[in-house]
Short mmCIF file of all heavy atoms in Angstrom, two decimals:
data_model
loop_
_atom_site.label_atom_id
_atom_site.label_comp_id
_atom_site.label_asym_id
_atom_site.label_seq_id
_atom_site.Cartn_x
_atom_site.Cartn_y
_atom_site.Cartn_z
N GLN A 77 -13.21 -3.91 -8.70
CA GLN A 77 -13.40 -2.76 -9.60
C GLN A 77 -14.06 -1.64 -8.80
O GLN A 77 -15.10 -1.85 -8.18
CB GLN A 77 -14.30 -3.16 -10.78
CG GLN A 77 -13.71 -4.25 -11.65
CD GLN A 77 -12.51 -3.76 -12.45
OE1 GLN A 77 -12.44 -2.63 -12.88
NE2 GLN A 77 -11.55 -4.65 -12.66
N ARG A 78 -13.45 -0.47 -8.80
CA ARG A 78 -14.00 0.68 -8.10
C ARG A 78 -14.54 1.69 -9.10
O ARG A 78 -14.02 1.83 -10.20
CB ARG A 78 -12.94 1.35 -7.21
CG ARG A 78 -12.49 0.50 -6.06
CD ARG A 78 -13.57 0.36 -5.02
NE ARG A 78 -13.15 -0.52 -3.94
CZ ARG A 78 -13.98 -1.09 -3.10
NH1 ARG A 78 -15.28 -0.87 -3.20
NH2 ARG A 78 -13.54 -1.88 -2.16
N ASN A 79 -15.58 2.39 -8.66
CA ASN A 79 -16.16 3.47 -9.44
C ASN A 79 -16.66 4.52 -8.46
O ASN A 79 -16.49 4.37 -7.24
CB ASN A 79 -17.30 2.94 -10.34
CG ASN A 79 -18.37 2.24 -9.54
OD1 ASN A 79 -18.82 2.72 -8.50
ND2 ASN A 79 -18.80 1.08 -10.02
N ALA A 80 -17.29 5.56 -8.95
CA ALA A 80 -17.75 6.63 -8.08
C ALA A 80 -18.72 6.12 -7.01
O ALA A 80 -18.76 6.64 -5.90
CB ALA A 80 -18.41 7.73 -8.91
N GLY A 81 -19.47 5.07 -7.33
CA GLY A 81 -20.46 4.56 -6.39
C GLY A 81 -19.89 3.74 -5.24
O GLY A 81 -20.50 3.66 -4.18
N ASN A 82 -18.74 3.12 -5.44
CA ASN A 82 -18.19 2.27 -4.38
C ASN A 82 -16.77 2.66 -3.96
O ASN A 82 -16.13 1.92 -3.21
CB ASN A 82 -18.26 0.79 -4.79
CG ASN A 82 -17.34 0.42 -5.94
OD1 ASN A 82 -16.55 1.24 -6.42
ND2 ASN A 82 -17.43 -0.82 -6.39
N TRP A 83 -16.28 3.78 -4.44
CA TRP A 83 -14.92 4.21 -4.12
C TRP A 83 -14.69 4.31 -2.61
O TRP A 83 -13.65 3.90 -2.10
CB TRP A 83 -14.62 5.55 -4.80
CG TRP A 83 -13.26 6.07 -4.49
CD1 TRP A 83 -12.95 7.15 -3.72
CD2 TRP A 83 -12.00 5.52 -4.90
NE1 TRP A 83 -11.59 7.31 -3.64
CE2 TRP A 83 -10.98 6.31 -4.36
CE3 TRP A 83 -11.65 4.42 -5.68
CZ2 TRP A 83 -9.64 6.06 -4.58
CZ3 TRP A 83 -10.31 4.17 -5.89
CH2 TRP A 83 -9.32 4.99 -5.34
N GLY A 84 -15.65 4.84 -1.88
CA GLY A 84 -15.50 5.01 -0.44
C GLY A 84 -15.28 3.71 0.30
O GLY A 84 -14.64 3.68 1.36
N ASP A 85 -15.79 2.59 -0.25
CA ASP A 85 -15.59 1.29 0.41
C ASP A 85 -14.15 0.84 0.39
O ASP A 85 -13.78 -0.07 1.13
CB ASP A 85 -16.47 0.22 -0.24
CG ASP A 85 -17.94 0.39 0.09
OD1 ASP A 85 -18.27 1.16 1.02
OD2 ASP A 85 -18.77 -0.25 -0.59
N SER A 86 -13.32 1.47 -0.45
CA SER A 86 -11.90 1.09 -0.44
C SER A 86 -11.17 1.69 0.75
O SER A 86 -10.03 1.34 1.02
CB SER A 86 -11.22 1.51 -1.75
OG SER A 86 -11.01 2.91 -1.80
N PHE A 87 -11.85 2.57 1.50
CA PHE A 87 -11.24 3.23 2.66
C PHE A 87 -11.90 2.83 3.98
O PHE A 87 -11.72 3.52 4.98
CB PHE A 87 -11.33 4.76 2.51
CG PHE A 87 -10.34 5.32 1.55
CD1 PHE A 87 -10.73 5.60 0.24
CD2 PHE A 87 -9.04 5.59 1.92
CE1 PHE A 87 -9.82 6.14 -0.66
CE2 PHE A 87 -8.13 6.11 1.02
CZ PHE A 87 -8.52 6.39 -0.27
N ARG A 88 -12.68 1.76 3.98
CA ARG A 88 -13.30 1.32 5.24
C ARG A 88 -13.59 -0.17 5.16
O ARG A 88 -13.84 -0.71 4.08
CB ARG A 88 -14.56 2.12 5.55
CG ARG A 88 -15.66 1.97 4.55
CD ARG A 88 -16.90 2.81 4.93
NE ARG A 88 -17.72 3.03 3.75
CZ ARG A 88 -17.67 4.10 2.98
NH1 ARG A 88 -16.85 5.07 3.26
NH2 ARG A 88 -18.46 4.21 1.93
N LEU A 89 -13.57 -0.80 6.33
CA LEU A 89 -13.95 -2.20 6.38
C LEU A 89 -15.47 -2.27 6.23
O LEU A 89 -16.19 -1.47 6.84
CB LEU A 89 -13.52 -2.84 7.70
CG LEU A 89 -12.02 -2.83 7.99
CD1 LEU A 89 -11.73 -3.60 9.28
CD2 LEU A 89 -11.21 -3.40 6.84
N VAL A 90 -15.94 -3.19 5.44
CA VAL A 90 -17.38 -3.35 5.23
C VAL A 90 -17.76 -4.80 5.52
O VAL A 90 -16.94 -5.71 5.42
CB VAL A 90 -17.82 -2.95 3.81
CG1 VAL A 90 -17.60 -1.46 3.58
CG2 VAL A 90 -17.10 -3.75 2.75
N GLY A 91 -19.03 -4.98 5.88
CA GLY A 91 -19.51 -6.34 6.16
C GLY A 91 -18.74 -6.95 7.31
O GLY A 91 -18.56 -6.34 8.36
N ASP A 92 -18.25 -8.17 7.09
CA ASP A 92 -17.54 -8.88 8.14
C ASP A 92 -16.02 -8.81 8.00
O ASP A 92 -15.28 -9.61 8.58
CB ASP A 92 -18.00 -10.34 8.21
CG ASP A 92 -17.77 -11.11 6.91
OD1 ASP A 92 -17.35 -10.49 5.90
OD2 ASP A 92 -18.01 -12.33 6.91
N GLU A 93 -15.51 -7.83 7.23
CA GLU A 93 -14.06 -7.68 7.08
C GLU A 93 -13.42 -7.34 8.43
O GLU A 93 -13.99 -6.57 9.21
CB GLU A 93 -13.74 -6.57 6.07
CG GLU A 93 -14.15 -6.89 4.66
CD GLU A 93 -13.93 -5.72 3.71
OE1 GLU A 93 -13.99 -4.54 4.13
OE2 GLU A 93 -13.70 -5.99 2.52
N THR A 94 -12.24 -7.90 8.67
CA THR A 94 -11.51 -7.63 9.91
C THR A 94 -10.12 -7.09 9.59
O THR A 94 -9.61 -7.26 8.47
CB THR A 94 -11.34 -8.90 10.76
OG1 THR A 94 -10.48 -9.81 10.06
CG2 THR A 94 -12.68 -9.56 11.07
N VAL A 95 -9.52 -6.48 10.58
CA VAL A 95 -8.15 -5.99 10.42
C VAL A 95 -7.22 -7.16 10.15
O VAL A 95 -6.37 -7.09 9.25
CB VAL A 95 -7.70 -5.19 11.67
CG1 VAL A 95 -6.23 -4.85 11.59
CG2 VAL A 95 -8.54 -3.93 11.83
N LYS A 96 -7.35 -8.25 10.89
CA LYS A 96 -6.46 -9.40 10.69
C LYS A 96 -6.56 -9.93 9.26
O LYS A 96 -5.53 -10.19 8.62
CB LYS A 96 -6.76 -10.52 11.67
CG LYS A 96 -5.94 -11.77 11.34
CD LYS A 96 -5.68 -12.65 12.48
CE LYS A 96 -4.85 -13.86 12.20
NZ LYS A 96 -4.16 -14.00 10.96
N GLU A 97 -7.77 -10.10 8.76
CA GLU A 97 -7.92 -10.59 7.39
C GLU A 97 -7.31 -9.61 6.39
O GLU A 97 -6.70 -10.03 5.40
CB GLU A 97 -9.41 -10.78 7.06
CG GLU A 97 -10.05 -11.93 7.79
CD GLU A 97 -11.56 -11.92 7.68
OE1 GLU A 97 -12.16 -10.93 7.22
OE2 GLU A 97 -12.16 -12.94 8.08
N THR A 98 -7.46 -8.33 6.65
CA THR A 98 -6.92 -7.32 5.75
C THR A 98 -5.39 -7.31 5.81
O THR A 98 -4.73 -7.17 4.78
CB THR A 98 -7.52 -5.94 6.06
OG1 THR A 98 -8.96 -6.07 6.09
CG2 THR A 98 -7.15 -4.91 5.01
N LEU A 99 -4.83 -7.47 7.01
CA LEU A 99 -3.37 -7.60 7.14
C LEU A 99 -2.86 -8.83 6.39
O LEU A 99 -1.85 -8.76 5.69
CB LEU A 99 -2.96 -7.68 8.61
CG LEU A 99 -2.91 -6.38 9.38
CD1 LEU A 99 -2.86 -6.64 10.88
CD2 LEU A 99 -1.75 -5.52 8.93
N ASP A 100 -3.56 -9.95 6.53
CA ASP A 100 -3.17 -11.17 5.81
C ASP A 100 -3.24 -10.96 4.30
O ASP A 100 -2.35 -11.40 3.55
CB ASP A 100 -4.05 -12.35 6.22
CG ASP A 100 -3.81 -12.81 7.65
OD1 ASP A 100 -2.79 -12.41 8.26
OD2 ASP A 100 -4.66 -13.56 8.17
N HIS A 101 -4.30 -10.29 3.85
CA HIS A 101 -4.44 -10.01 2.42
C HIS A 101 -3.29 -9.12 1.94
O HIS A 101 -2.71 -9.37 0.89
CB HIS A 101 -5.79 -9.33 2.16
CG HIS A 101 -5.95 -8.85 0.76
ND1 HIS A 101 -6.03 -9.70 -0.33
CD2 HIS A 101 -6.04 -7.60 0.26
CE1 HIS A 101 -6.16 -8.98 -1.43
NE2 HIS A 101 -6.16 -7.71 -1.10
N TYR A 102 -2.95 -8.10 2.74
CA TYR A 102 -1.86 -7.19 2.37
C TYR A 102 -0.54 -7.95 2.27
O TYR A 102 0.27 -7.71 1.38
CB TYR A 102 -1.77 -6.07 3.39
CG TYR A 102 -1.00 -4.85 2.98
CD1 TYR A 102 -0.83 -4.47 1.65
CD2 TYR A 102 -0.46 -4.01 3.94
CE1 TYR A 102 -0.14 -3.33 1.29
CE2 TYR A 102 0.23 -2.86 3.60
CZ TYR A 102 0.39 -2.52 2.29
OH TYR A 102 1.08 -1.38 1.94
N GLU A 103 -0.33 -8.91 3.16
CA GLU A 103 0.88 -9.73 3.10
C GLU A 103 0.91 -10.54 1.80
O GLU A 103 1.96 -10.66 1.15
CB GLU A 103 0.94 -10.66 4.31
CG GLU A 103 2.23 -11.42 4.43
CD GLU A 103 2.32 -12.21 5.73
OE1 GLU A 103 1.89 -11.69 6.78
OE2 GLU A 103 2.82 -13.35 5.67
N ASP A 104 -0.23 -11.08 1.40
CA ASP A 104 -0.30 -11.83 0.15
C ASP A 104 -0.06 -10.91 -1.05
O ASP A 104 0.65 -11.28 -1.98
CB ASP A 104 -1.66 -12.52 0.03
CG ASP A 104 -1.76 -13.37 -1.21
OD1 ASP A 104 -0.91 -14.28 -1.39
OD2 ASP A 104 -2.67 -13.12 -2.03
N VAL A 105 -0.62 -9.71 -1.01
CA VAL A 105 -0.40 -8.73 -2.08
C VAL A 105 1.09 -8.41 -2.17
O VAL A 105 1.66 -8.36 -3.27
CB VAL A 105 -1.24 -7.46 -1.86
CG1 VAL A 105 -0.81 -6.33 -2.78
CG2 VAL A 105 -2.73 -7.77 -2.04
N ALA A 106 1.73 -8.20 -1.03
CA ALA A 106 3.16 -7.89 -1.01
C ALA A 106 3.97 -9.02 -1.64
O ALA A 106 4.90 -8.77 -2.43
CB ALA A 106 3.62 -7.63 0.42
N ARG A 107 3.62 -10.24 -1.32
CA ARG A 107 4.33 -11.40 -1.90
C ARG A 107 4.16 -11.41 -3.42
O ARG A 107 5.13 -11.59 -4.16
CB ARG A 107 3.78 -12.69 -1.29
CG ARG A 107 4.43 -13.96 -1.83
CD ARG A 107 3.72 -15.23 -1.38
NE ARG A 107 2.29 -15.24 -1.66
CZ ARG A 107 1.73 -15.42 -2.87
NH1 ARG A 107 2.50 -15.59 -3.92
NH2 ARG A 107 0.42 -15.43 -3.02
N ARG A 108 2.94 -11.18 -3.89
CA ARG A 108 2.69 -11.19 -5.34
C ARG A 108 3.40 -10.01 -6.03
O ARG A 108 3.88 -10.15 -7.15
CB ARG A 108 1.20 -11.18 -5.62
CG ARG A 108 0.56 -12.53 -5.27
CD ARG A 108 -0.89 -12.59 -5.68
NE ARG A 108 -1.71 -11.93 -4.67
CZ ARG A 108 -2.89 -11.38 -4.89
NH1 ARG A 108 -3.42 -11.39 -6.09
NH2 ARG A 108 -3.55 -10.81 -3.91
N THR A 109 3.48 -8.88 -5.34
CA THR A 109 4.20 -7.73 -5.91
C THR A 109 5.67 -8.08 -6.07
O THR A 109 6.27 -7.81 -7.11
CB THR A 109 4.04 -6.49 -5.01
OG1 THR A 109 2.65 -6.13 -4.99
CG2 THR A 109 4.87 -5.32 -5.48
N GLU A 110 6.27 -8.67 -5.06
CA GLU A 110 7.68 -9.05 -5.16
C GLU A 110 7.89 -10.05 -6.28
O GLU A 110 8.84 -9.92 -7.07
CB GLU A 110 8.20 -9.62 -3.83
CG GLU A 110 9.63 -10.05 -3.97
CD GLU A 110 10.45 -9.93 -2.71
OE1 GLU A 110 9.97 -9.38 -1.71
OE2 GLU A 110 11.60 -10.39 -2.76
N GLU A 111 7.02 -11.03 -6.38
CA GLU A 111 7.14 -12.01 -7.47
C GLU A 111 7.06 -11.32 -8.83
O GLU A 111 7.84 -11.64 -9.73
CB GLU A 111 6.04 -13.07 -7.36
CG GLU A 111 6.23 -14.03 -6.21
CD GLU A 111 5.03 -14.94 -5.99
OE1 GLU A 111 4.01 -14.83 -6.71
OE2 GLU A 111 5.11 -15.77 -5.06
N PHE A 112 6.14 -10.38 -8.96
CA PHE A 112 5.99 -9.68 -10.23
C PHE A 112 7.27 -8.92 -10.58
O PHE A 112 7.79 -9.03 -11.68
CB PHE A 112 4.80 -8.72 -10.19
CG PHE A 112 4.78 -7.79 -11.37
CD1 PHE A 112 4.33 -8.23 -12.60
CD2 PHE A 112 5.25 -6.49 -11.26
CE1 PHE A 112 4.34 -7.39 -13.71
CE2 PHE A 112 5.27 -5.64 -12.36
CZ PHE A 112 4.82 -6.09 -13.59
N PHE A 113 7.79 -8.13 -9.63
CA PHE A 113 8.99 -7.33 -9.91
C PHE A 113 10.19 -8.21 -10.19
O PHE A 113 11.00 -7.90 -11.07
CB PHE A 113 9.28 -6.36 -8.75
CG PHE A 113 8.57 -5.05 -8.90
CD1 PHE A 113 7.30 -4.88 -8.38
CD2 PHE A 113 9.14 -4.00 -9.59
CE1 PHE A 113 6.62 -3.69 -8.52
CE2 PHE A 113 8.47 -2.81 -9.75
CZ PHE A 113 7.21 -2.65 -9.21
N ARG A 114 10.34 -9.30 -9.46
CA ARG A 114 11.48 -10.19 -9.68
C ARG A 114 11.40 -10.89 -11.03
O ARG A 114 12.42 -11.19 -11.64
CB ARG A 114 11.58 -11.22 -8.55
CG ARG A 114 11.90 -10.62 -7.20
CD ARG A 114 13.32 -10.18 -7.10
NE ARG A 114 13.62 -9.66 -5.77
CZ ARG A 114 14.65 -8.90 -5.51
NH1 ARG A 114 15.50 -8.57 -6.48
NH2 ARG A 114 14.86 -8.45 -4.31
N ALA A 115 10.18 -11.15 -11.51
CA ALA A 115 10.00 -11.89 -12.77
C ALA A 115 9.96 -10.99 -14.00
O ALA A 115 10.13 -11.48 -15.11
CB ALA A 115 8.71 -12.71 -12.71
N ALA A 116 9.75 -9.69 -13.81
CA ALA A 116 9.67 -8.79 -14.97
C ALA A 116 10.99 -8.83 -15.73
O ALA A 116 12.06 -8.68 -15.14
CB ALA A 116 9.36 -7.37 -14.52
N PRO A 117 10.93 -9.04 -17.05
CA PRO A 117 12.18 -9.10 -17.82
C PRO A 117 13.02 -7.83 -17.69
O PRO A 117 14.23 -7.90 -17.61
CB PRO A 117 11.69 -9.29 -19.26
CG PRO A 117 10.36 -9.93 -19.13
CD PRO A 117 9.76 -9.35 -17.87
N SER A 118 12.36 -6.66 -17.64
CA SER A 118 13.09 -5.40 -17.53
C SER A 118 12.22 -4.37 -16.84
O SER A 118 11.00 -4.33 -17.05
CB SER A 118 13.45 -4.88 -18.93
OG SER A 118 13.96 -3.56 -18.85
N LEU A 119 12.86 -3.52 -16.03
CA LEU A 119 12.12 -2.42 -15.41
C LEU A 119 11.70 -1.38 -16.45
O LEU A 119 10.83 -0.54 -16.19
CB LEU A 119 12.96 -1.75 -14.31
CG LEU A 119 13.25 -2.62 -13.09
CD1 LEU A 119 14.19 -1.88 -12.13
CD2 LEU A 119 11.98 -3.05 -12.38
N ASP A 120 12.29 -1.45 -17.62
CA ASP A 120 11.93 -0.56 -18.72
C ASP A 120 10.68 -1.03 -19.47
O ASP A 120 10.13 -0.27 -20.27
CB ASP A 120 13.08 -0.42 -19.71
CG ASP A 120 14.29 0.28 -19.10
OD1 ASP A 120 14.10 1.17 -18.25
OD2 ASP A 120 15.42 -0.08 -19.46
N ASP A 121 10.26 -2.27 -19.25
CA ASP A 121 9.06 -2.76 -19.92
C ASP A 121 7.88 -1.87 -19.55
O ASP A 121 7.79 -1.36 -18.42
CB ASP A 121 8.75 -4.21 -19.49
CG ASP A 121 9.71 -5.20 -20.10
OD1 ASP A 121 10.52 -4.82 -20.97
OD2 ASP A 121 9.65 -6.38 -19.69
#
Side-chain angles (χ1 to χ4, degrees):
Q77 298 290 326
R78 293 290 177 198
N79 57 45
N82 68 4
W83 178 249
D85 287 346
S86 74
F87 284 98
R88 63 180 159 264
L89 300 185
V90 295
D92 60 354
E93 293 175 330
T94 67
V95 172
K96 173 154 181 12
E97 290 168 349
T98 309
L99 281 165
D100 291 346
H101 173 66
Y102 197 26
E103 187 173 320
D104 183 57
V105 168
R107 179 190 53 75
R108 288 186 279 154
T109 296
E110 178 149 353
E111 288 171 359
F112 169 78
F113 272 89
R114 294 287 182 198
S118 170
L119 294 175
D120 294 326
D121 287 352

